[in-house]
Amino acid sequence: MLVNTPQEEPSSQPDFFNSKWMNVIFACLAIAGGAGVAAALAVFDNPLKLVLLFGGAAAAMVTMRNSEWGLLALVFMSYTRFSDVMVRNGAPSTAQPFLALLFLIIFMRWMLYNQKPEPWLKPAVWIFIYGMVGVATFLYADDVIRVKNGVVSYFKDAIIVVVVVMMMRSPKMLHRSMWALLFAGIFMASITTWQQLTGTFDNDYLGFAKAGKMQIVSGVEDDYRIAGPIGDPNFYSQVLLTLIPLGMDRLWNEKNKKLRWFAIWQLSVCMASIFFSFSRGAFLSLAFASLLMFIRRPPKLMSVIIIVALAIVIIPTLPASYIARLETIPEAIPGLAQEDVRNEASFRGRSSAQQAGIRMFLANPVFGLGVGNFGNHYQEYARDLGLDNSRWDQAPHNMYLEILTEKGLFGLSVFAAMMWVLFRDMNKARKKFREINMGDFDGLIFGFQAGLVGYMIAGIFLQLSYPRFFWILIAIAYAIPNVANKAYEDYREALPNGETA
């Protein structure tokens, strides 16, 4: 068999985008931009708005020149909540105009240069079907405003999924998109690790490093828990733990040695930030996701000895409050608890929410109560449990219970089918990459899958309150089969007559 690794196309840009006319346009825009700075200084009272204006203009020009950078920026901004953070600082939203720009570029290439977007219909159909399950709950939900808000939010994320699938064209773009995720982790976790080590919890670093003093465990003094740009330590750690298996794979298999140093950086700060979040669910999910990676690539005996030695040295230096919090994990597992769950405030609230959720499901098993309607029914189903004396709504603290209570067995079945097809197609993509001697992408995708599994395990402890993180991962997952199919076809076309892959 001929060994012939597919080569990247010299350029994915139409001639116009690489022509001298584009250089002239950029020169004119640069002159106009420089002239506009003086005027803008007099108009904008918030310097951040000015920075975003010209930064956004520069990003738009770069994206028009090379759409790949637009895709990478979209992945990075989505995973760091960049637009939301800027809005909280008084700046306008960057997400919507940037998405509009990407759609415009896709449309222009399609209409003017017959550069069709990558196959997007299959992902769009699945996303649409699952979205319509939510839309259908308008017919019977008690609070249709909550349904509307949930459905609108969902379809905003669905647009991002479709855009990513349309734009992901090659293995190189897939590789860079994975690194965009890792650099997003480096960006967020470096800030929060620095915040923890310096004790600067009163500085939220423009909103990318929120932190608050919270109860760690009953009987132990409250301590700060870092929460990143999200504002909740549990969700923040869920977002970071997803990147750990991917970083492990890049540390082991990245061909660019300089990038391996970035993988070490990413693993170090993400692991540190997960520990500083004091999240028990993230600890368990991370352990499982890491186990998948070590099963795929069993460590050598010497590596195990070094890891154990480091653990013996590091564990005694961990804060006593962190050890105390980890020691409470068995208390949440039926059959292992030695104390009443009601003695631990966080367990008490979770237990109340989940028992109420089970009651909601049993009362409405097929279609559920409606998107977003768990909260307004919580007190009705939890009042007589005697676990939660609060008067406000609770969240279900479980992504799958959330789907069951709000969309019923029908909704959970559609979600499960969508995820099954997605993982099946990613496995087929891994096989194709192996067949064309691109085993590095087999490992890259496996690391991504292990991280996604870790995210979904953490979903046992958390509802989907910040869905954009989840859907940007799903977007990349949907793009993977397209990239593998195109690489496989390019490989076959490059083979001499009579050769087979």
Side-chain angles (χ1 to χ4, degrees):
M1 181 180 71
L2 179 65
V3 177
N4 182 29
T5 302
Q7 301 296 316
E8 296 293 333
E9 298 177 5
S11 174
S12 60
Q13 311 301 318
D15 292 340
F16 172 76
F17 287 88
N18 291 311
S19 68
K20 63 180 181 180
W21 292 109
M22 201 62 176
N23 295 329
V24 172
I25 291 173
F26 279 137
C28 293
L29 289 174
I31 295 172
V37 170
L41 285 171
V43 174
F44 291 103
D45 55 343
N46 186 344
L48 187 60
K49 293 182 180 179
L50 183 62
V51 171
L52 284 178
L53 173 66
F54 289 99
M61 288 190 289
V62 171
T63 300
M64 290 178 65
R65 180 77 177 183
N66 188 335
S67 60
E68 177 184 340
W69 289 103
L71 174 61
L72 300 181
L74 176 62
V75 172
F76 181 88
M77 290 193 300
S78 298
Y79 216 74
T80 58
R81 300 196 79 197
F82 180 83
S83 181
D84 293 337
V85 171
M86 292 299 101
V87 168
R88 289 201 298 263
N89 282 280
S93 171
T94 58
Q96 294 179 3
F98 193 70
L99 272 176
L101 173 64
L102 294 179
F103 259 122
L104 177 62
I105 291 174
I106 292 170
F107 180 77
M108 288 176 59
R109 294 180 188 283
W110 194 352
M111 294 295 102
L112 300 179
Y113 304 102
N114 200 32
Q115 274 199 357
K116 295 182 180 180
E118 296 305 306
W120 55 274
L121 186 58
K122 180 178 179 180
V125 167
W126 274 109
I127 295 295
F128 178 76
I129 291 173
Y130 187 60
M132 292 308 296
V133 173
V135 171
T137 65
F138 270 111
L139 299 174
Y140 52 85
D142 288 345
D143 191 336
V144 294
I145 300 300
R146 294 186 185 225
V147 176
K148 184 194 77 170
N149 293 338
V151 168
V152 169
S153 175
Y154 173 84
F155 279 105
K156 286 181 179 178
D157 293 334
I159 291 172
I160 294 178
V161 174
V162 173
V163 168
V164 170
V165 173
M166 284 181 165
M167 297 187 70
M168 192 84 73
R169 295 181 175 276
S170 66
K172 183 171 77 172
M173 289 183 72
L174 175 61
H175 177 261
R176 290 180 175 177
S177 296
M178 295 296 191
W179 270 106
L181 287 176
L182 293 178
F183 278 115
I186 289 173
F187 175 76
M188 294 185 293
S190 294
I191 297 174
T192 51
T193 300
W194 172 260
Q195 180 187 48
Q196 176 74 32
L197 295 177
T198 58
T200 52
F201 300 109
D202 56 340
N203 184 353
D204 69 356
Y205 296 89
L206 289 179
F208 287 104
K210 293 181 174 295
K213 209 165 192 179
M214 306 177 188
Q215 183 190 54
I216 303 302
V217 66
S218 298
V220 175
E221 184 180 356
D222 292 355
D223 204 346
Y224 281 97
R225 297 179 64 187
I226 58 173
I230 297 176
D232 185 290
N234 295 317
F235 290 101
Y236 179 52
S237 58
Q238 180 187 31
V239 167
L240 293 182
L241 76 87
T242 306
L243 305 178
I244 297 296
L246 186 58
M248 292 170 68
D249 173 76
R250 291 300 84 197
L251 177 61
W252 293 338
N253 299 319
E254 178 59 54
K255 295 179 180 179
N256 187 325
K257 293 184 178 180
K258 293 180 180 179
L259 287 178
R260 289 192 180 188
W261 287 105
F262 281 104
I264 293 173
W265 182 0
Q266 179 265 330
L267 289 169
S268 300
V269 293
C270 285
M271 289 285 289
S273 291
I274 290 170
F275 283 122
F276 295 145
S277 74
F278 291 89
S279 175
R280 291 168 291 209
F283 180 84
L284 292 174
S285 304
L286 176 60
F288 187 88
S290 300
L291 179 62
L292 291 178
M293 296 301 293
F294 285 124
I295 290 175
R296 174 178 171 83
R297 178 172 172 167
K300 296 179 181 179
L301 177 61
M302 183 55 65
S303 299
V304 174
I305 293 174
I306 293 174
I307 292 172
V308 171
L310 288 173
I312 293 173
V313 172
I314 293 174
I315 289 177
T317 67
L318 292 175
S321 54
Y322 188 82
I323 300 299
R325 188 167 175 83
L326 292 183
E327 289 175 346
T328 64
I329 290 177
E331 303 301 326
I333 302 175
L336 297 181
Q338 297 179 355
E339 297 184 15
D340 194 328
V341 70
R342 288 172 291 187
N343 294 333
E344 177 61 43
S346 61
F347 287 162
R348 188 167 59 244
R350 288 173 183 270
S351 179
S352 177
Q354 292 178 1
Q355 289 185 52
I358 292 172
R359 289 180 170 188
M360 293 181 203
F361 164 66
L362 293 176
N364 306 271
V366 180
F367 299 112
L369 293 165
V371 172
N373 274 247
F374 179 97
N376 60 302
H377 285 277
Y378 170 70
Q379 291 293 341
E380 174 188 348
Y381 286 90
R383 191 174 297 114
D384 64 338
L385 292 173
L387 293 172
D388 184 7
N389 296 323
S390 66
R391 296 180 180 273
W392 51 81
D393 295 350
Q394 267 275 18
H397 296 286
N398 186 307
M399 180 170 73
Y400 311 102
L401 184 60
E402 179 181 35
I403 296 173
L404 273 175
T405 56
E406 296 183 353
K407 300 175 183 175
L409 280 172
F410 182 68
L412 185 63
S413 298
V414 174
F415 179 80
M418 180 172 65
M419 297 308 298
W420 182 82
V421 170
L422 189 60
F423 273 88
R424 182 202 65 186
D425 289 349
M426 282 193 287
N427 287 333
K428 289 182 178 179
R430 289 173 51 208
K431 181 180 178 181
K432 286 188 175 181
F433 277 122
R434 290 195 301 269
E435 290 177 355
I436 60 176
N437 306 299
M438 296 180 69
D440 178 52
F441 283 88
D442 174 28
L444 182 71
I445 297 169
F446 184 86
F448 177 80
Q449 287 179 304
L452 185 54
V453 168
Y455 187 101
M456 297 182 71
I457 291 174
I460 297 173
F461 312 103
L462 298 169
Q463 69 279 1
L464 200 61
S465 291
Y466 302 91
R468 183 151 299 175
F469 296 103
F470 177 71
W471 290 112
I472 195 65
L473 296 173
I474 296 302
I476 295 174
Y478 270 124
I480 286 172
N482 285 346
V483 173
N485 291 338
K486 190 171 187 303
Y488 190 82
E489 290 172 4
D490 291 345
Y491 178 90
R492 288 178 60 89
E493 289 176 2
L495 290 174
N497 292 335
E499 294 284 350
T500 58

